Amino acid sequence: MRSIRRGDTGPAVEEIRSILVGLDLLDTGGAEFDTATETAVRAFQQSRGLGVDGLVGPETWSALDGARWKLGARTLFHSVPTSLVGEDVRTLQERLLEMGFDTGRADGIYGPRTARAVAQFQREVGLTPDGSCGPHTMKALRRLGRKVVGGRPNWLREAEAFRQSGSSLVGKTIVIDPGHGGPDDLGVVVPDGQLRWTEADLAFDIATRLEGRLAAAGMRVHLTRGPSPAQSMTGQERAALANSLGADLLISLHLDGHDNPAADGVATYHYGTGSGVTSTVGERLANLVQREVVVRTGMRDCRIHAKTWELLRFTRMPAVRVDLGYLTSPVDRERLIDPLFREQIVEAVLAAVQRMYYPVEADVPTGSIDVRQLRLALASRNS
Ligand SMILES: [Zn+2]
C-alpha cells in the first residue's frame, strides 16, 4: 500500500479526515489531503508514539482505524490471533488501571493481560468473569465511575461534599470496621502460653471502645461485624454495608504481622493508585489518624500509603485502614495487650475524627487536643 499524502484526494482521504475530525484534531471533513490534514496527521502520530512523517502508511492507518471506536460502541474481547485494537481499548485499560486492576501498559491492545484484568473486575462486581467487555460490564464500569473515572475532579467533588456536610459531628454516620473475624479468619495470631492473641479479637475490642466514645460525641456508629461472626466478610461486603448505611466516614482497624519480630509500628492507608488518582479527603483522614496515633502512643511511624484494596475502592465515603502496630513484635504486642494502651489508641482515633470536622483554619497541633474540651467547644459553636 502506497502512503496517502498531501495532495491526494478521494474516498480514503475523506475517511481519514472524518476520523481526525472525530478526534478534534481537524475542523472540517473533505476529500482533499491539504496542509491542515497533514498537520493533524502529524499531531495524531505524535500522540500515538508513531513516526511523525505526516504520511498515512499501514501503521498510521491501523492506528487511525482503531481511534474511531468510543468505549461502549462495540463488545471487546480477547480475539486470537489478531487482537482488537483501538481507542476504546485504551480508555478501558486506563479506567481499570485507575481502579487498581493490572492491565499492563495502556497500549490500546486487548491482549490476555487486559482480558484477565476485566475478568477480575467482573468477579469483584458479581458478573460472570468471561474477560470480555460487553453492555453489563460497561454498566458496572459506569456505576463505579463516580469514584474512579476522571481522577482529580471527582475527588474535588468529594472534598466539596464533605465540606458542605458541615463541621458538626452530631448526627454524622461513621462505620468502624474491625478487621477479619469469622471462624476461618482471625488475622494475625500469636500464641502466648495456653492462650493466643488474635488480630480479630483485639481489633474488635478497640472497635467497641471507639464505638462508645464516638457515640458519646453524638455520632451514629455502626460496626461491620460482631465479636464472633458466623462467616467472614470480604472487603467488598464491608464496603457495601457502609455504602448502604450512607456513612460519612469509614475507619477499618487492623494489626499487622511479620515473620521478623523486629518489624513494628503503625501505618495508615487511603484510596489511591500512586499515579495521581487519590482520595484527597481520605488522604487527609489517613494523615490525621496516623499522626495522632503516632504522637499519642509513641509507636514507630510507618507513614500513610495509597492502596486500591477493595474496602477502600468500593466505599463511597472517605475511608481509611489503620494497622495499629505489629502483633508479632514483642514491643508492640506488650503494649497492645494492655487495655489502657488500647484506650490511648481510641483517644487518638477520636481526636483524628474530631479534627476532620474541625475547620482547617482553627485546627490544632497534633496530640494537643483534649477531646472533651474540643467537644464542648464544638457543641457551643453549633448550638
Ligand atoms: Zn489485618
Side-chain angles (χ1 to χ4, degrees):
M1 171 184 161
R2 173 187 167 271
S3 295
I4 304 168
R5 64 191 68 207
R6 182 146 54 93
D8 287 349
T9 55
V13 175
E14 204 162 1
E15 187 147 15
I16 290 166
R17 288 191 57 155
S18 102
I19 295 169
L20 292 167
V21 169
L23 292 169
D24 277 335
L25 290 171
L26 190 63
D27 289 334
T28 56
E32 196 191 327
F33 202 122
D34 56 9
T35 315
T37 309
E38 189 185 280
T39 306
V41 168
R42 286 175 177 276
F44 175 77
Q45 289 171 324
Q46 189 152 34
S47 73
R48 295 301 187 277
L50 300 164
V52 180
D53 56 9
L55 308 173
V56 180
E59 205 185 351
T60 299
W61 171 249
S62 106
L64 276 168
D65 191 42
R68 31 169 148 221
W69 294 104
K70 289 260 185 298
L71 185 57
R74 59 172 174 172
T75 294
L76 296 170
F77 57 96
H78 178 216
S79 111
V80 182
T82 314
S83 293
L84 291 181
V85 177
E87 209 49 31
D88 48 355
V89 179
R90 182 199 307 273
T91 309
L92 174 69
Q93 290 169 326
E94 281 170 354
R95 287 196 191 174
L96 289 168
L97 280 170
E98 282 185 340
M99 287 188 276
F101 297 96
D102 179 21
T103 63
R105 205 163 67 88
D107 55 7
I109 303 166
Y110 206 99
R113 198 157 165 192
T114 300
R116 262 201 309 277
V118 168
Q120 197 194 347
F121 170 77
Q122 290 170 319
R123 232 187 319 273
E124 291 198 1
V125 296
L127 294 169
T128 313
D130 62 4
S132 73
C133 183
H136 292 298
T137 305
M138 273 310 304
K139 203 172 148 201
L141 276 168
R142 270 195 292 270
R143 208 174 52 229
L144 286 171
R146 196 206 67 78
K147 179 151 188 173
V148 291
V149 176
R152 201 125 193 104
N154 280 295
W155 298 117
L156 293 178
R157 275 200 289 284
E158 182 194 71
E160 181 59 16
F162 188 84
R163 199 186 62 76
Q164 284 180 359
S165 73
S167 64
S168 171
L169 253 69
V170 178
K172 294 282 190 320
T173 301
I174 185 166
V175 169
I176 302 298
D177 173 45
H180 310 277
D184 323 314
D185 186 7
L186 299 172
V188 181
V189 178
V190 175
D192 182 2
Q194 302 280 27
L195 302 167
R196 61 177 183 183
W197 297 104
T198 74
E199 178 188 357
D201 285 347
L202 286 167
F204 185 77
D205 174 85
I206 298 169
T208 51
R209 290 169 193 270
L210 194 53
E211 180 186 25
R213 299 295 302 276
L214 290 164
M219 294 189 95
R220 271 191 267 262
V221 193
H222 294 268
L223 265 50
T224 52
R225 66 169 177 91
S228 42
Q231 274 185 319
S232 54
M233 282 174 93
T234 65
Q236 198 179 346
E237 285 163 348
R238 293 167 200 254
L241 176 64
N243 289 343
S244 72
L245 291 165
D248 296 287
L249 291 177
L250 177 141
I251 298 178
S252 183
L253 305 172
H254 283 250
L255 304 178
D256 217 333
H258 199 280
D259 291 339
N260 182 351
D264 64 354
V266 52
T268 310
Y269 305 91
H270 62 92
Y271 180 82
T273 60
S275 63
V277 182
T278 190
S279 162
T280 49
V281 188
E283 190 177 340
R284 169 139 190 268
L285 179 60
N287 249 316
L288 289 171
V289 169
Q290 178 69 16
R291 284 156 55 199
E292 288 290 346
V293 172
V294 165
V295 167
R296 287 170 191 258
T297 66
M299 279 193 283
R300 184 193 305 278
D301 185 358
C302 300
R303 299 201 296 277
I304 71 166
H305 305 274
K307 293 285 175 192
T308 56
W309 295 328
E310 280 184 3
L311 180 75
L312 305 177
R313 186 160 86 234
F314 287 104
T315 37
R316 296 200 203 100
M317 73 293 311
V320 300
R321 165 177 151 175
V322 54
D323 281 25
L324 296 156
Y326 281 72
L327 199 50
T328 45
S329 148
V331 181
D332 282 358
R333 184 171 63 248
E334 178 78 7
R335 308 180 70 186
L336 284 164
I337 63 179
D338 175 1
L340 285 176
F341 182 76
R342 297 202 293 275
E343 275 300 326
Q344 254 177 296
I345 289 176
V346 165
E347 195 80 10
V349 176
L350 181 61
V353 173
Q354 299 270 25
R355 286 179 68 189
M356 270 305 275
Y357 287 98
Y358 209 54
V360 174
E361 64 275 13
D363 203 4
V364 294
T366 302
S368 72
I369 288 189
D370 177 331
V371 175
R372 271 160 319 209
Q373 257 175 28
L374 179 61
R375 192 156 72 227
L376 285 174
L378 283 172
S380 66
R381 244 163 47 89
N382 291 316
S383 60

